[in-house]
């Protein structure tokens, strides 16, 4: 009795082996890219996740690592988005060119992850920081709302950006921002996040925030008492 594999069986084995090799070939760039990112024992990704501070040196190290990772795996939108966030952190340290880098990397991330609301919110914030026309900023805000209407991180960024250009925000988006803030005020954890947005704004935008989002003396007083109590506990 012959022990040779039938021809059909051999071709089936070859087919599945080819699929396996192809799958591995797709995974290798991703593994290599995230290996580059992980060389700092996860310090940079953890800082992005929890908002902890990084030194200027650590930010630059992270930017180099993420640029190298993106060069290895150019189709990873998450790497492009996170690199842009480090670019924006570098901007705080006075690196003006980092703003253009952030815009470029965010556009790449948006092309790869068009349904990611946070990318569109970051694009709106970045456009505002480079003093882009209001129409461009508003277009990004609309895309953020369309792709993640109730995603908390995106909502918070939309509130922040909208307060800075409120007079240019169309009535329908103004209504949506007010509704978003209403959802935050009914949840203690989200309310604390809203406090952080308020405190991150310049003083004129804080005035706008109170005038348009807490537009009665009773509501404004409630918000101010709550934020004072919160800051005392920090």
């Amino acid at each position: 009795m012959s022990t040779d594999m039938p021809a059909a069986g051999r071709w089936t084995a070859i087919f599945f082996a080819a699929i396996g090799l192809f799958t591995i070939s797709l995974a290798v760039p991703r593994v290599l890219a995230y290996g580059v990112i992980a060389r700092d024992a996860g310090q940079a990704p953890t800082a992005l996740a929890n908002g902890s501070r990084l030194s200027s040196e650590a930010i630059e190290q992270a930017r180099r690592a993420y640029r190298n990772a993106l060069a290895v795996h150019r189709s990873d939108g998450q790497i492009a988005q996170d690199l842009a966030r480090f670019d924006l952190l570098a901007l705080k340290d006075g690196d003006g060119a980092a703003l253009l880098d952030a815009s470029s990397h965010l556009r790449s991330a948006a092309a790869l992850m068009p349904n990611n609301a946070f990318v569109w919110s970051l694009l709106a914030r970045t456009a505002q920081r480079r003093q882009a026309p209001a129409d461009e900023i508003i277009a990004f805000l609309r895309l953020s709302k369309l792709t993640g209407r109730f995603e908390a991180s995106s909502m918070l960024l939309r509130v922040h950006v909208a307060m800075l250009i409120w007079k240019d925000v169309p009535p329908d988006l103004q209504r949506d921002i007010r509704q978003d803030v209403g959802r935050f005020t009914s949840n203690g954890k989200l309310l604390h996040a809203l406090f952080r947005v308020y405190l991150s704004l310049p003083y004129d935008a804080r005035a706008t925030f109170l005038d348009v989002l807490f537009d009665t003396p009773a509501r404004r007083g409630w918000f101010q008492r709550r934020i004072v109590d919160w800051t005392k506990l920090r």
Side-chain angles (χ1 to χ4, degrees):
M1 182 175 179
S2 173
T3 58
D4 291 343
M5 182 183 294
R10 287 199 301 273
W11 283 112
T12 299
I14 292 170
F15 174 75
F16 282 108
I19 290 177
L21 289 172
F22 178 70
T23 302
I24 291 171
S25 71
L26 292 178
V28 167
R30 180 178 176 84
V31 171
L32 292 174
Y34 281 87
V36 171
I37 291 171
R39 287 177 183 170
D40 68 347
Q43 179 187 7
T46 300
L48 279 187
N50 61 25
S52 58
R53 292 183 178 276
L54 289 172
S55 67
S56 297
E57 181 181 0
I59 290 170
E60 286 309 309
Q61 288 176 349
R63 292 178 75 195
R64 286 194 295 272
Y66 275 77
R67 279 195 294 265
N68 290 337
L70 192 59
V72 171
H73 193 25
R74 294 190 178 279
S75 61
D76 194 309
Q78 189 62 50
I79 293 177
Q81 174 187 284
D82 290 347
L83 174 54
R85 294 176 68 187
F86 284 114
D87 291 334
L88 292 173
L89 289 175
L91 184 64
K92 293 181 180 179
D93 292 327
D95 184 352
L99 185 56
L100 296 177
D101 291 339
S103 296
S104 175
H105 293 137
L106 284 172
R107 288 180 183 276
S108 296
L112 293 165
M113 304 186 300
N115 291 323
N116 186 311
F118 191 58
V119 171
W120 296 114
S121 294
L122 282 172
L123 272 166
R125 175 65 176 130
T126 304
Q128 183 274 319
R129 293 186 74 167
R130 59 181 173 80
Q131 300 181 334
D135 287 350
E136 179 181 343
I137 301 169
I138 290 164
F140 290 139
L141 289 177
R142 288 194 183 281
L143 286 166
S144 172
K145 185 188 73 169
L146 178 67
T147 54
R149 185 175 181 86
F150 303 119
E151 183 184 293
S153 58
S154 298
M155 292 163 69
L156 288 164
L157 264 177
R158 291 199 296 267
V159 172
H160 181 103
V161 173
M163 290 302 102
L164 295 167
I165 60 166
W166 187 255
K167 63 180 176 57
D168 296 314
V169 177
D172 64 311
L173 278 180
Q174 289 186 352
R175 182 188 63 246
D176 289 339
I177 294 296
R178 290 189 176 97
Q179 290 174 347
D180 288 346
V181 169
R183 294 183 180 93
F184 282 112
T185 57
S186 63
N187 181 301
K189 184 177 180 180
L190 294 179
L191 180 60
H192 294 169
L194 188 64
F195 291 159
R196 293 187 180 93
V197 170
Y198 173 78
L199 293 173
S200 71
L201 293 168
Y203 286 108
D204 57 342
R206 290 186 191 182
T208 300
F209 181 102
L210 293 174
D211 288 343
V212 303
L213 301 179
F214 297 89
D215 54 357
T216 67
R219 296 188 71 228
R220 189 175 300 116
W222 174 86
F223 181 82
Q224 290 174 324
R225 288 192 299 272
R226 292 296 302 271
I227 196 170
V228 168
D229 292 342
W230 178 73
T231 52
K232 288 179 179 177
L233 297 174
R234 293 183 68 190

